[in-house]
């Protein structure tokens, strides 16, 4: 069965650089979510999109932005990276029957 | 927002032992899922269980929605069961269309 696809799997950036993470949801799932998981923490909700419109927003820094495109894939853009942005970033999509998470992007800021 | 509490925070077992993990939540829910996060960081969905009981091999889960708790049972544990187990819920309020995670239970199964 198709899953949620995230790319890249790993990313190393320097402070103050910009990073773009991509997510391809399961076909016909109408909502996409982004989560951030710091070391030893639980995943924290960042932002979600329903039918390409932003539907909810969590504790997402102003340096981060996201959008969902016409083909339903989503991108999370992070600028002016800080050491504290180092984390696992998950994308998930949902339909009736629950949420499915991608394998995540591990971002390391050095 | 909805609150999710998991217990115990840490659990150490010998291979072959059974265990019960608990998840309490503060409000009514549309969705409750149990996840296993493996050492590589992947979140593996174990159960979608907003109510009732389900079983999958050595794992089973029960959610009593009226009393706002869910239990995950692991029987005959194996070393590969090690990792963090998360409970996550979607509240049924009008602005709660997202999963909120508990802090997790770190399970270590020793050979």
């Amino acid at each position: 069965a198709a899953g949620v696809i995230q790319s890249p799997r790993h990313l190393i950036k320097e402070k103050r650089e910009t990073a773009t993470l991509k997510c391809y949801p399961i076909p016909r799932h109408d909502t996409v979510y982004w989560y951030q998981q710091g070391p030893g923490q639980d995943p924290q909700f960042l932002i979600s999109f329903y039918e390409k419109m932003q539907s909810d927003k969590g504790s997402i820094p102003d340096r981060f932005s996201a959008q969902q495109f016409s083909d339903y894939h989503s991108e999370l853009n992070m600028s002016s990276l800080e050491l504290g942005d180092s984390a696992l970033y998950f994308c998930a999509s949902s339909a009736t029957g629950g949420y499915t998470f991608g394998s995540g992007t591990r971002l390391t800021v050095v | 927002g909805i609150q999710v509490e998991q217990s115990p925070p840490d659990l150490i077992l010998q291979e072959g032992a059974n265990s019960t993990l608990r998840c309490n939540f503060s409000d009514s829910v549309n969705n409750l899922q149990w996840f296993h996060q493996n050492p590589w960081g992947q979140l593996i969905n174990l159960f979608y269980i907003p109510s009732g009981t389900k079983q999958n091999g050595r794992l089973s889960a029960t959610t009593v929605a009226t009393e706002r708790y869910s239990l995950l049972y692991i029987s005959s544990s194996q070393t590969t069961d090690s990792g963090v187990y998360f409970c996550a819920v979607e509240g049924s309020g009008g602005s709660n269309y997202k999963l909120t995670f508990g802090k997790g239970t770190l399970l270590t199964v020793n050979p």
Side-chain angles (χ1 to χ4, degrees):
Chain A
V4 177
I5 307 298
Q6 290 188 247
S7 66
R9 291 295 304 275
H10 302 273
L11 191 58
I12 300 176
K13 291 285 186 178
E14 295 189 353
K15 284 192 301 183
R16 293 180 289 278
E17 284 193 316
T18 297
T20 298
L21 279 53
K22 295 187 179 182
C23 169
Y24 295 84
I26 293 173
R28 292 181 295 282
H29 278 199
D30 55 17
T31 308
V32 169
Y33 310 80
W34 286 97
Y35 283 79
Q36 178 191 56
Q37 185 180 24
Q41 303 296 314
D42 54 291
Q44 294 292 314
F45 171 73
L46 291 177
I47 195 166
S48 61
F49 293 87
Y50 172 74
E51 287 292 339
K52 294 165 280 185
M53 298 290 290
Q54 181 182 308
S55 54
D56 200 355
K57 201 170 184 180
S59 302
I60 184 169
D62 291 341
R63 299 178 290 109
F64 293 10
S65 64
Q67 57 182 324
Q68 188 176 28
F69 295 85
S70 57
D71 65 351
Y72 290 91
H73 94 272
S74 179
E75 295 183 4
L76 177 66
N77 298 292
M78 298 176 284
S79 62
S80 302
L81 287 170
E82 302 173 356
L83 296 178
D85 297 328
S86 295
L88 257 177
Y89 290 84
F90 288 103
C91 172
S93 66
S94 71
T96 303
Y99 294 60
T100 302
F101 282 76
S103 295
T105 293
R106 189 175 296 277
L107 172 67
T108 302
V109 181
V110 298
Chain B
I2 194 166
Q3 305 297 310
V4 184
E5 291 184 2
Q6 291 186 243
S7 60
D10 301 277
L11 186 58
I12 300 175
L13 301 174
Q14 287 300 121
E15 204 166 23
N18 303 327
S19 62
T20 300
L21 281 58
R22 186 177 179 101
C23 172
N24 293 330
F25 43 95
S26 62
D27 207 344
S28 55
V29 298
N30 289 329
N31 177 13
L32 187 147
Q33 290 180 248
W34 283 97
F35 295 92
H36 176 219
Q37 187 162 41
N38 64 23
W40 296 271
Q42 291 179 305
L43 280 171
I44 309 299
N45 180 57
L46 300 176
F47 293 102
Y48 165 76
I49 188 164
S51 63
T53 297
K54 290 186 178 179
Q55 181 161 4
N56 184 4
R58 296 182 296 103
L59 302 181
S60 64
T62 296
T63 297
V64 183
T66 53
E67 297 187 22
R68 299 182 183 168
Y69 74 89
S70 182
L71 302 174
L72 177 68
Y73 305 97
I74 304 174
S75 64
S76 304
S77 57
Q78 301 176 357
T79 56
T80 53
D81 294 332
S82 296
V84 182
Y85 289 80
F86 286 108
C87 170
V89 304
E90 177 189 286
S92 60
S95 61
N96 285 317
Y97 301 119
K98 59 183 177 285
L99 280 183
T100 298
F101 284 77
K103 298 298 183 188
T105 292
L106 175 59
L107 175 64
T108 303
V109 181
N110 292 321

